[in-house]
Each structure stands twice: as structure tokens, then as C-alpha cells.
Amino acid sequence: MHQVSISRQTARRFVLGKQGLWPGRRWQGLDGVAQALHAVERVQLDPLCVLARSHELALLSRVEGFSPAHLDTVLFERREAFDFGDTLFIQPMAELPYWRAIMRRKRTEPRWQAFAEAHAGLLAEVKAELRARGPLGNRDFDGKVRVNSYRASKDTGLVLFYLWLTGELMTHHRVRFERVFDFAENIAPAAYAYEAPLEAAEAFLVRKAIAFWGLCRPRYFGALLERKCAAAESALWAKQLAEVGEVVPVAVEGQRELHYVLAADLPLLETAEAGRASEPWAAVMCNAEEEVSFLAPLDIVSARGRARELFDFDYVWEVYKPAAQRRWGYYTLPILYGDCLAARADLKFERKTRVLHVLGFWLEEEASGSDSAFAAALARGLRRLVDFVGAQELGDGPVRAVCPAYVASPGGWAR
């Protein structure tokens, strides 16, 4: 079995490049949002909005001129993507036939099978209301019983979730992030209104997992399969794909476990190893050395332990930690500069006063604070955040305190 060995820097650049973050933004505007969603495979959704929502920050760092309205258009008007999963992700709509097989399998899971049997009458009532009244959200139902679930606070909400998870319903649109549902046949484009065989669906999703991670360990396959996947089964998937030449095992400098890359992506990996960015990765505007990006807290390049693995950067999103246990701050984001995570900032947008606060700012290397190129790139990144959230003022005291070059930067925030 052919095996490729690469440096840690190559691994970083390849993963960043696959995800549209290096050498810079390569998509633009409304069409760019749709292109980005296809290229990066999936983007995780999250409702928390301290600065902006995680999925919005993920697209902001990849798409020049991104607006949340663009995403709504792609999802709810053009129907080029949809949301799904126990862990909620946006997927390209063209993949719906494969996901339908996963949705159908959800119905046979013991917990959901028992739920459907226990709530048969309420399921019928909710579906009847949807047929009679059109798209409805959880707020449109009174709910008979309060439930203790993070999926919903009342039984009708949990029924809506079940019908969505098992494929009868899809998200019609959102109101302040809350889903409004309709029957799938009223939403899905006709071209994708069929279900792939489960075996074909799982094979597709294993390949998608590898494309999504860029460099993927077999243990990550189960997340896309939406089921438990034993180590032996994952290893068998990888072995079989390697034997037919669809994937190539990759040894990354300093890491024991093999990763896998799609064979079709091998030229991109080889170009990155040669120290260059591939032509398909050409940036449309300034590159990642000219403007920093504030990575979304759930960004696949830095979440789930990848910040340490790829960048030797200790990062945990601390929103779920008690305040006394936080090392950095409630909404601290990694800052990408070139192909490195050079700093982090704890950010909060105060909507009433229209002030974007930098509550804390930390450099990985103290010398970066005197680097005029980094300071200018940082100023441009902050300017983009200010414009994106609609702030009228930037409280950047912590930045100025540790980054003297930023104060003198011509690109700095003008009060």
C-alpha cells in the first residue's frame, strides 16, 4: 500500500487550503457562499450569538463580502443546502438522497422507535396541523406536556424534531434561529427527491468524512455515518478504499496514527508539500498574511483538538466551562495569520451600545506584538469584524496593551 509522508506545516496548509482559509478567501458574495458550502463539505450550526453565530464566522472567514442574508438565500430560497444531524450541520442539497437513507435508519434506532410508538397520536396531530396550516414552528403549537430535553421544552417540539430527524420534515426557514418546518416533499428539489441504498449512502459518507477533514483518521467516520462505528469497522473502510486506490494513507510528522487523504486530492497535497498553494486555491482578495481571520469556535481546522494537533495551539471553546475554570474567556477565538494560529481574543458585541469589545487578547509569541506586518493584518481583521457585526466603536484596549505595533499601524481602528 503506497504511503505518503508529509511535514506538519504541509498538513496545516493542506487542511487550511481544503477549507478555504489558505492562502486566503477564494469565494465571493452570494454565489461564493454556495460554492464554499460545497467545497468545505459541511459547516456546523450553533445558536449562540455573543459576537456572531459560529457558522456565520466560519463563512465570514472564507467568503469575501459574506452576509448572513446570503446563507438564508442559499438555504431557504435557492434550496442549495439543508441542515441535518444529531450534531447540526449544513450539507449541500445534492447530497440529500444519501442522507435520506440515514434519516430512515434513525426511525429504527430503539430510542426513536420507542418514542414514535409512545407518541403515535401526537405525531398524527402534528402532521395534520402542518398539512392544514402550512409551515409551522415549535411556537405555533401549544404543547400538552413539558419535556426535559435540550431538543425541545414541550412534547410537540420533540415530535417536530423527531419528524425532522427521520426525514419527514425539513427546515422551511428560521426565525431568530428557530426552525419553521414543512414536509420534505414541499422543500426538496425534485431532482433529489429519492433515497439512495443504505450501503451506497454509507460509502459516500465515509468519502465525505475524508474530504471534510482533509487529512482524516478512520475513527472520525462514525460522525458522518450518524452511528457508532467500531475501530475495526473504520479500519476496514480505510483499508478497502486504499486497496481500490480511492484514498492514500498519510504519515504526518510527529504523529503516530495514519491519516487518509482522497487520492484525487494528492496533487493538492504534493503542491502544499512543495511550499506552494495550488491554483484552485487562489485568493480573491487579500491573503491570510495580509489580513488575519478570527476562526469560528466550531471551525473544523481548530475545534475537536485540531488546534493542538496542527498548530501546537492549546484551544478549547470555554462557553461550557464554569467561569472560575476558564483560562481565556467565554467567547475566545483563535486568530489565523498566514498558516499559523498567532493569537487569540475574547470578544463580545454589545448590541445596545453598538460596541465590539475585545475583553482579552493574547499573543502566542511576544515578538508578534512588535511586528508591523502582523499588526496591519490584525487591524484589517478587526475592521472586518466591526463592519460585519455593525459596531460603531471598537474597545481594543487589550490589543493595544500587548501589541505596540498595532497602535502605530496605518490600518488600525480610527476612533
Side-chain angles (χ1 to χ4, degrees):
M1 186 186 301
H2 177 60
Q3 180 177 308
V4 174
S5 297
I6 61 172
S7 68
R8 199 173 184 185
Q9 183 182 55
T10 296
R12 271 200 306 273
R13 288 180 169 180
F14 177 73
V15 170
L16 289 169
K18 282 279 290 178
Q19 280 291 316
L21 292 163
W22 183 82
R25 290 175 180 84
R26 72 185 66 131
W27 300 293
Q28 191 165 15
L30 174 60
D31 288 338
V33 172
Q35 293 160 6
L37 289 173
H38 279 81
V40 306
E41 300 291 338
R42 61 200 322 234
V43 172
Q44 187 171 350
L45 287 158
D46 190 80
L48 187 62
C49 191
V50 174
L51 172 65
R53 293 188 172 95
S54 182
H55 51 280
E56 295 170 349
L57 292 171
L59 289 167
L60 178 68
S61 63
R62 290 161 169 81
V63 181
E64 183 66 30
F66 170 72
S67 163
H70 293 156
L71 181 58
D72 286 348
T73 298
V74 169
L75 284 167
F76 308 132
E77 295 179 25
R78 291 168 35 166
R79 300 294 181 191
E80 294 183 72
F82 68 101
D83 58 11
F84 177 69
D86 277 318
T87 301
L88 187 60
F89 279 89
I90 302 170
Q91 331 275 351
M93 185 64 79
E95 298 176 0
L96 182 60
Y98 301 105
W99 290 104
R100 281 187 186 278
I102 305 304
M103 294 169 182
R104 178 177 293 278
R105 187 176 62 201
K106 292 282 186 185
R107 301 174 202 174
T108 65
E109 292 180 4
R111 60 170 176 162
W112 291 120
Q113 197 168 27
F115 176 86
E117 291 170 358
H119 296 83
L122 190 56
L123 281 163
E125 288 179 30
V126 167
K127 288 192 281 187
E129 284 291 298
L130 282 160
R131 290 191 188 97
R133 298 166 58 192
L136 299 172
N138 189 26
R139 291 177 183 268
D140 297 309
F141 293 87
D142 292 335
K144 298 179 179 179
V145 179
R146 306 297 290 184
V147 295
N148 184 21
S149 170
Y150 72 96
R151 301 294 188 188
S153 60
K154 52 190 180 182
D155 56 355
T156 48
L158 206 52
V159 163
L160 286 168
F161 177 80
Y162 166 82
L163 291 169
W164 169 83
L165 187 69
T166 56
E168 286 194 66
L169 303 182
M170 294 180 71
T171 304
H172 182 273
H173 67 280
R174 288 178 181 267
V175 178
R176 294 185 297 277
F177 200 73
E178 292 186 17
R179 278 185 293 246
V180 175
F181 301 94
D182 198 2
F183 289 101
E185 58 264 30
N186 297 333
I187 292 177
Y192 309 124
Y194 69 94
E195 182 180 317
L198 182 59
E199 184 178 351
E202 291 209 329
F204 172 85
L205 292 172
V206 167
R207 295 182 188 93
K208 181 178 175 67
I210 298 170
F212 173 55
W213 285 83
L215 294 166
C216 184
R217 292 185 171 100
R219 58 181 141 113
Y220 298 138
F221 295 167
L224 270 85
L225 296 175
E226 292 273 329
R227 64 172 175 83
K228 291 182 179 180
C229 191
E233 182 188 359
S234 297
L236 182 60
W237 274 110
K239 180 175 181 291
Q240 290 173 340
L241 288 170
E243 286 174 348
V244 298
E246 290 195 46
V247 303
V248 176
V250 178
V252 178
E253 175 190 12
Q255 297 181 22
R256 294 181 180 180
E257 193 175 353
L258 281 178
H259 296 69
Y260 288 83
V261 64
L262 294 178
D265 285 340
L266 204 53
L268 299 173
L269 187 66
E270 291 169 347
T271 303
E273 179 72 0
R276 305 189 308 274
S278 298
E279 186 176 341
W281 292 352
V284 297
M285 296 291 284
C286 60
N287 64 38
E289 292 183 348
E290 295 169 332
E291 179 186 321
V292 306
S293 289
F294 292 79
L295 296 184
L298 297 173
D299 201 304
I300 191 60
V301 306
S302 50
R304 298 172 173 83
R306 288 196 111 188
R308 178 177 292 282
E309 179 181 296
L310 292 173
F311 304 94
D312 197 24
F313 185 92
D314 184 16
Y315 179 68
V316 175
W317 195 25
E318 295 185 313
V319 293
Y320 300 112
K321 284 188 175 184
Q325 296 179 20
R326 291 179 198 136
R327 180 181 178 189
W328 306 107
Y330 184 74
Y331 207 81
T332 298
L333 304 180
I335 299 175
L336 179 69
Y337 175 55
D339 64 358
C340 296
L341 296 183
R344 70 189 80 212
D346 184 17
L347 300 157
K348 180 180 181 179
F349 178 45
E350 193 174 82
R351 287 164 177 79
K352 182 178 290 187
T353 61
R354 313 302 295 176
V355 178
L356 175 58
H357 295 280
V358 183
L359 303 176
F361 182 80
W362 302 267
L363 295 167
E364 284 297 283
E365 301 289 341
E366 186 178 350
S368 299
S370 301
D371 183 337
S372 59
F374 171 73
L378 176 62
R380 292 189 189 100
L382 283 168
R383 174 79 252 185
R384 187 180 294 270
L385 276 185
V386 164
D387 292 342
F388 180 69
V389 300
Q392 296 176 354
E393 186 178 349
L394 174 66
D396 57 2
V399 181
R400 294 171 179 268
V402 300
C403 191
Y406 169 81
V407 178
S409 168
W413 172 259
R415 295 183 181 276

